[in-house]
Amino acid sequence: MSSKTKAQMLLNLEDKLVGFKIPPLIAINAEELRRTSPVDLASLVSANFGVQPLIVRSSAFGEDSAESSNAGAYESIMRVSSKNPEELFDAAHKVLSSYSIKENNSEQNEVIFQLMIEDSTMSGVIFTHELSSGAPYYVINYDDISGLTNSVTAGVGENANRTLYIYRGTTEKLRSSRFVKLMAAVNELEQVLNSQFLDIEFAIDADLQPWLFQVRPITTKSNWDRALSKRIDAELLGIQAFVCRRFQQAHGIYGKTTVLGQMPDWNPAEIIGRAPRALARSLYQKLLTDNAWRIARKSMGYSVPSGQPLMVSLAGQPFIDTRLSFHSYLPALLPSSVAEKLVDAWVGELRQHPELHDKIEFEVAITTFSFDIDTKLDRLSAVLTAEERTLFRELLRKLTVPLLEGIGKGSIARALAKVEKLVEQPIQSVDSGLAGLYRLIEDCISLGTVPFSVLARHGFIAHTLLRSLVVRGVFSDDDIALMLRGVRTIAGDLREDMHSLQDGSISSESFMSRYGHLRPGTYDILSPRYDQIEVFGSLEMDHTEEMEQIEAFSINPRQREALDVLLQNENFAGIDAEGLVNYCSAAIAGREYGKFVFTRSISAILESIAHLGEQYGLSREEMSHVPIDDLLDVASSSTGKPIEEHLREISEYHAGRNVLTSAIRLPQILFDEAGVYVVPFQMSQPNFVTSSKASAEIVKLDSRQSAPDLKGKIVLIENADPGYDWIFAQPIAGLITKFGGANSHMAIRCAEFGIPAAIGCGEQRFESCLKANHIILNCSVGQITILN
């Protein structure tokens, strides 16, 4: 496309397009406008449009070219009256002033006066390739809520903005008639302009007519990998074949089909990210999702599918097979006929309500007995017979009773005893070689992640019970918030010890001996440990402010009596009201302590891997692309080539794969083959913590940066894990995370410290928040407002 003004481009296209219509417009030269009076301007404009609302827009020479884009650089004024001379004149001169600000004084500059599309049902921007990588996707950023035609380009209405990725050449998989018509118009525009690299502003009206406002060339092509498209083609075919097999019924697993998700159950996207490197992903698989999850749930009395890893990898992106999760939430003694019905119902529920993908334990499945169990079972009235419902209820009760009473292999006490054994184990020296690494991995699983998985399930049971007691009127939401704040976890110890470190009450050596293993990216070898960086050197803590002391929650006589009655009615003979409250506190604290301990082993594993890499001449960067099993295999086998050469080949291969992993777009929830090619970004509903409100500037953290001053800021974190607990030693105003569920690590932390938070706001909202300077986080009404 040659360097023309916007108006010239649109007028040139007007008679060549069938799919798109272009709203009627006139363009007036900037110099002519400066000499035109308000009355003469109104006369000229009304002669063309009559009495119509207009948009007054920029049309600067060189505004957009193949080398540069000035999208949004100049003013646009909407809903200007064609009959009001002063309003027209003022709007036109605001556009002219925006040229001067950008020092664009070309004699060919114009101002567009164009008919407003008033009945817009959807508007937005389409990029015909992904901007950063050049991946062959149509990327549609759209607003189908506000009715505005500039909400996407102006960056307003963040709750309305959505994104759809469509792999090029697969538009036939679209099901929505509005997108079918839109993409037909886009394809025609590409043919007319003889270009597949376009940036298009559009709207669709109530009659599904696409309107074209602007088209400009994409200007980031010089940064793209030209061979990427062919690699993505082959990879997506492989993913399609894989999910086709995975969605079929499988031997020994309940349920006719499944849903794959990045945030259900063990929420890998929160912990290792959407596109993790090979080492991080493989460690997460080996330590947790291959076997530990299943061993733990079996010990607690749950039904588990044998020999099935919970997490699968699609082009390197981690997904949980929710059919396996739902299977493992069922009591072991439940008849298979009933189990099949329940798994099918829960998979169906998730397909119908994908926004619940990070809340399946609370909003989709029934994973434990609770005091609102009958209300939950009512939702299954069309699924289970009366006899099956009664049986399921009783088996859940029999599963839950010994867990609350501390009886059996799946108790909190037994899990903590194993964790304490791990504490007592001396950490293998980094120079203990391959044997030391094997020992670290073995101990981490048997004494770390397996008991932690037990403790994590107890944590979910505790929260489910507490929620049910709110439903039954025993506790209020405020009571639960107070109870959670009173639970002393390892994060409280860290917060207190950080203050003690700052005021000199404890030494740096003492502090690091306990917390030095923590790193903000638990599975990321490139994320430095606390004892490897000056994490706290730049922090400015308020030493004059006394650490807030939270009293332990205690139930009042009315609550005790009501709870005892509920327990007696359900034949919980071995536990009373006080015991149940203590169980919930112990479950929540135990989960956090177990996580803290086993991450010490993971940190040691990463340091051991880094040391092995150093011995073979590979950097941490290179080792981050070596899967753990490949490393163990190469280091313990005779391969016919030097170990260094073999490891470097593996690293280079997976580094290339990671580029592909990052470029491929997959939905957070995948339930059919079409989702491989047509990818809506799920608008997640955040999990709001506390009922407080914060209004503050934002600061974004990642796992590889040093610690900035966070006082009074709303902190944004993508993948939150225990290594970020240092932020709670500073008086932050609030927290927003991209990933995370209602019972995730950061949700518990914020409840403990009374910090307003939006946990798991999803990719769309998080990206909008990143562009902000100031945010209002109102948890009481469940709202995130971007001010600027």
Side-chain angles (χ1 to χ4, degrees):
M1 291 183 286
S2 60
S3 182
K4 300 178 180 179
T5 63
K6 185 186 301 182
Q8 291 167 344
M9 171 70 74
L10 291 172
L11 290 170
N12 187 51
L13 287 171
E14 201 166 21
D15 297 328
K16 299 178 180 178
L17 298 177
V18 175
F20 273 122
K21 287 186 178 180
I22 297 173
L25 66 91
I26 61 170
I28 303 176
N29 179 269
E31 289 304 315
E32 182 182 342
L33 260 179
R34 291 188 177 95
R35 297 191 299 268
T36 303
S37 69
V39 173
D40 289 343
L41 178 61
S43 177
L44 175 61
V45 171
S46 60
N48 282 273
F49 296 105
V51 182
Q52 297 276 7
L54 306 178
I55 180 169
V56 182
R57 309 170 61 199
S58 64
S59 179
F61 185 75
E63 182 171 342
D64 299 300
S65 68
E67 292 77 32
S68 65
S69 169
N70 283 294
Y74 302 117
E75 282 281 355
S76 292
I77 295 89
M78 298 177 64
R79 293 193 172 87
V80 179
S81 170
S82 61
K83 279 290 190 179
N84 188 320
E86 296 301 327
E87 191 175 339
L88 273 171
F89 186 83
D90 183 58
H93 280 264
K94 282 182 178 177
V95 174
L96 291 175
S97 295
S98 69
Y99 296 162
S100 299
I101 291 171
K102 296 294 183 180
E103 299 182 353
N104 184 341
N105 299 308
S106 170
E107 294 180 356
Q108 298 185 55
N109 287 346
E110 299 171 326
V111 173
I112 292 175
F113 299 82
Q114 190 171 31
L115 187 69
M116 278 284 299
I117 302 301
E118 288 284 71
D119 62 344
S120 168
T121 59
M122 181 172 76
S123 66
V125 175
I126 301 172
F127 300 108
T128 60
H129 279 72
E130 202 276 327
L131 280 183
S132 59
S133 68
Y137 289 93
Y138 293 104
V139 184
I140 308 176
N141 298 312
Y142 67 98
D143 166 13
D144 59 357
I145 295 178
S146 72
L148 300 174
T149 57
N150 71 332
S151 59
V152 173
T153 54
V156 298
E158 61 92 15
N159 287 334
N161 291 348
R162 304 170 189 273
T163 302
L164 178 69
Y165 282 78
I166 305 169
Y167 194 66
R168 293 184 63 88
T170 64
T171 53
E172 77 282 354
K173 296 183 183 295
L174 287 167
R175 299 165 183 157
S176 165
S177 55
R178 62 179 179 172
F179 284 110
V180 168
K181 289 202 70 173
L182 175 63
M183 291 312 302
V186 169
N187 293 153
E188 180 195 33
L189 182 60
E190 288 180 310
Q191 292 172 13
V192 168
L193 293 176
N194 192 29
S195 174
Q196 296 183 352
F197 308 104
L198 304 176
D199 171 353
I200 303 164
E201 294 178 24
F202 74 94
I204 291 181
D205 64 22
D207 295 324
L208 300 187
Q209 171 61 54
W211 292 87
L212 177 65
F213 297 142
Q214 166 70 317
V215 56
R216 55 176 70 90
I218 290 175
T219 61
T220 57
K221 289 188 291 181
S222 60
N223 303 322
W224 295 350
D225 177 357
R226 302 296 181 182
L228 192 62
S229 294
K230 290 183 179 179
R231 295 173 63 200
I232 293 177
D233 278 338
E235 195 69 28
L236 291 185
L237 285 172
I239 294 173
Q240 182 182 18
F242 176 87
V243 298
C244 180
R245 295 191 302 271
R246 198 78 183 191
F247 289 145
Q248 295 173 3
Q249 193 152 16
H251 177 72
I253 306 172
Y254 299 134
K256 296 183 179 68
T257 187
T258 190
V259 170
L260 303 177
Q262 295 183 334
M263 278 302 297
D265 205 348
W266 279 99
N267 49 317
E270 179 187 8
I271 305 303
I272 57 175
R274 182 187 71 84
R277 295 189 177 193
L279 177 59
R281 185 187 68 248
S282 62
L283 266 180
Y284 197 65
Q285 289 172 309
K286 192 172 193 69
L287 299 179
L288 272 165
T289 62
D290 278 354
N291 294 297
W293 70 283
R294 180 175 54 252
I295 295 168
R297 290 179 186 174
K298 184 176 182 180
S299 73
M300 299 175 75
Y302 287 101
S303 173
V304 291
S306 61
Q308 288 285 339
L310 183 63
M311 189 173 84
V312 298
S313 172
L314 304 182
Q317 297 182 26
F319 283 82
I320 297 296
D321 186 332
T322 61
R323 172 167 52 184
L324 299 176
S325 297
F326 291 138
H327 183 137
S328 72
Y329 292 150
L330 297 169
L333 298 179
L334 191 68
S336 59
S337 58
V338 181
E340 288 279 356
K341 290 183 178 182
L342 288 169
V343 172
D344 284 340
W346 293 337
V347 168
E349 178 78 2
L350 185 55
R351 289 170 64 95
Q352 290 296 314
H353 297 282
E355 71 277 7
L356 301 178
H357 67 123
D358 60 349
K359 306 174 181 67
I360 64 169
E361 298 91 338
F362 297 122
E363 304 293 342
V364 179
I366 304 175
T367 71
T368 180
F369 184 88
S370 60
F371 298 106
D372 60 348
I373 185 72
D374 292 319
T375 301
K376 293 176 179 178
L377 288 170
D378 285 343
R379 302 200 306 259
L380 296 170
S381 57
V383 176
L384 301 181
T385 67
E387 293 78 11
E388 290 170 337
R389 168 180 167 149
T390 300
L391 175 62
F392 182 41
R393 186 187 195 280
E394 179 59 16
L395 289 176
L396 282 172
R397 191 191 70 81
K398 288 182 176 180
L399 180 148
T400 307
V401 167
L403 298 176
L404 268 58
E405 295 179 353
I407 300 170
K409 294 187 293 185
S411 69
I412 292 176
R414 286 207 179 192
L416 287 175
K418 289 185 178 180
V419 170
E420 288 303 326
K421 286 184 179 180
L422 187 58
V423 173
E424 295 166 4
Q425 292 276 62
I427 290 294
Q428 300 291 315
S429 171
V430 293
D431 58 6
S432 58
L434 196 61
L437 179 57
Y438 271 108
R439 176 68 182 274
L440 281 170
I441 292 171
E442 182 181 322
D443 287 347
C444 185
I445 295 172
S446 62
L447 302 178
T449 56
V450 169
F452 167 70
S453 300
V454 171
L455 294 167
R457 182 95 289 274
H458 278 285
F460 276 105
I461 292 171
H463 278 277
T464 303
L465 289 168
L466 292 175
R467 287 179 173 210
S468 73
L469 291 172
V470 172
V471 173
R472 295 299 296 268
V474 176
F475 294 138
S476 67
D477 287 326
D478 289 341
D479 290 330
I480 300 303
L482 184 61
M483 182 188 301
L484 294 177
R485 291 200 69 187
V487 176
R488 182 59 178 259
T489 70
I490 193 69
D493 295 342
L494 172 60
R495 188 188 193 198
E496 189 172 291
D497 286 345
M498 282 183 66
H499 281 267
S500 297
L501 176 65
Q502 291 288 312
D503 64 23
S505 300
I506 63 173
S507 67
S508 176
E509 292 74 16
S510 177
F511 180 87
M512 290 302 178
S513 69
R514 189 176 190 198
Y515 304 107
H517 70 274
L518 293 173
R519 60 178 92 218
T522 297
Y523 295 83
D524 183 4
I525 196 171
L526 299 176
S527 177
R529 293 161 46 116
Y530 283 12
D531 59 11
Q532 292 173 336
I533 56 173
E534 290 294 328
V535 180
F536 315 117
S538 62
L539 305 188
E540 296 181 10
M541 298 185 189
D542 189 348
H543 298 292
T544 63
E545 187 177 291
E546 291 292 326
M547 289 287 290
E548 185 179 5
Q549 298 297 317
I550 305 297
E551 293 185 8
F553 175 82
S554 61
I555 56 177
N556 62 42
R558 180 198 65 79
Q559 293 168 333
R560 180 179 291 104
E561 181 181 358
L563 187 45
D564 278 334
V565 168
L566 287 176
L567 289 166
Q568 290 166 12
N569 288 344
E570 298 295 348
N571 296 318
F572 282 72
I575 192 169
D576 60 9
E578 205 75 48
L580 182 64
V581 171
N582 290 339
Y583 164 81
C584 292
S585 296
I588 294 166
R591 166 189 156 157
E592 300 311 302
Y593 179 67
K595 185 186 300 179
F596 173 78
V597 172
F598 89 75
T599 57
R600 185 183 70 154
S601 293
I602 295 175
S603 197
I605 289 169
L606 291 175
E607 291 309 299
S608 181
I609 291 170
H611 186 73
L612 279 171
E614 186 179 337
Q615 287 183 317
Y616 297 124
L618 275 74
S619 66
R620 285 177 181 259
E621 171 75 24
E622 290 172 305
M623 294 303 292
S624 72
H625 293 295
V626 179
I628 183 62
D629 283 337
D630 284 7
L631 171 62
L632 296 174
D633 181 56
V634 169
S636 59
S637 304
S638 173
T639 63
K641 64 175 69 173
I643 290 178
E644 174 185 348
E645 181 182 342
H646 201 163
L647 288 177
R648 186 159 280 117
E649 286 176 357
I650 292 170
S651 176
E652 290 173 356
Y653 170 77
H654 285 284
R657 292 281 302 168
N658 190 247
V659 172
L660 195 62
T661 299
S662 299
I664 287 176
R665 309 305 304 197
L666 293 172
Q668 285 191 319
I669 289 289
L670 186 58
F671 47 79
D672 61 17
E673 294 176 53
V676 175
Y677 298 99
V678 180
V679 184
F681 267 28
Q682 184 61 44
M683 286 293 289
S684 299
Q685 179 59 37
N687 301 280
F688 290 96
V689 182
T690 79
S691 57
S692 301
K693 180 180 178 180
S695 177
E697 294 180 353
I698 68 115
V699 59
K700 165 72 163 55
L701 298 181
D702 65 52
S703 65
R704 298 170 192 172
Q705 73 182 99
S706 58
D709 183 11
L710 307 179
K711 185 176 181 179
K713 301 288 202 307
I714 291 177
V715 178
L716 272 62
I717 305 175
E718 184 168 322
N719 305 320
D721 65 22
Y724 282 107
D725 281 352
W726 62 268
I727 70 174
F728 299 113
Q730 294 195 63
I732 65 173
L735 177 67
I736 297 174
T737 72
K738 180 188 288 189
F739 302 115
N743 199 35
S744 68
H745 180 86
M746 283 301 176
I748 292 170
R749 291 293 185 258
C750 291
E752 178 181 355
F753 298 127
I755 294 170
I759 305 299
C761 69
E763 295 196 56
Q764 294 257 168
R765 278 194 181 89
F766 192 79
E767 293 302 316
S768 296
C769 290
L770 285 179
K771 299 172 185 175
N773 293 315
H774 195 111
I775 284 175
I776 297 175
L777 175 57
N778 191 338
C779 297
S780 63
V781 298
Q783 188 175 49
I784 302 171
T785 304
I786 294 174
L787 294 186
N788 56 47

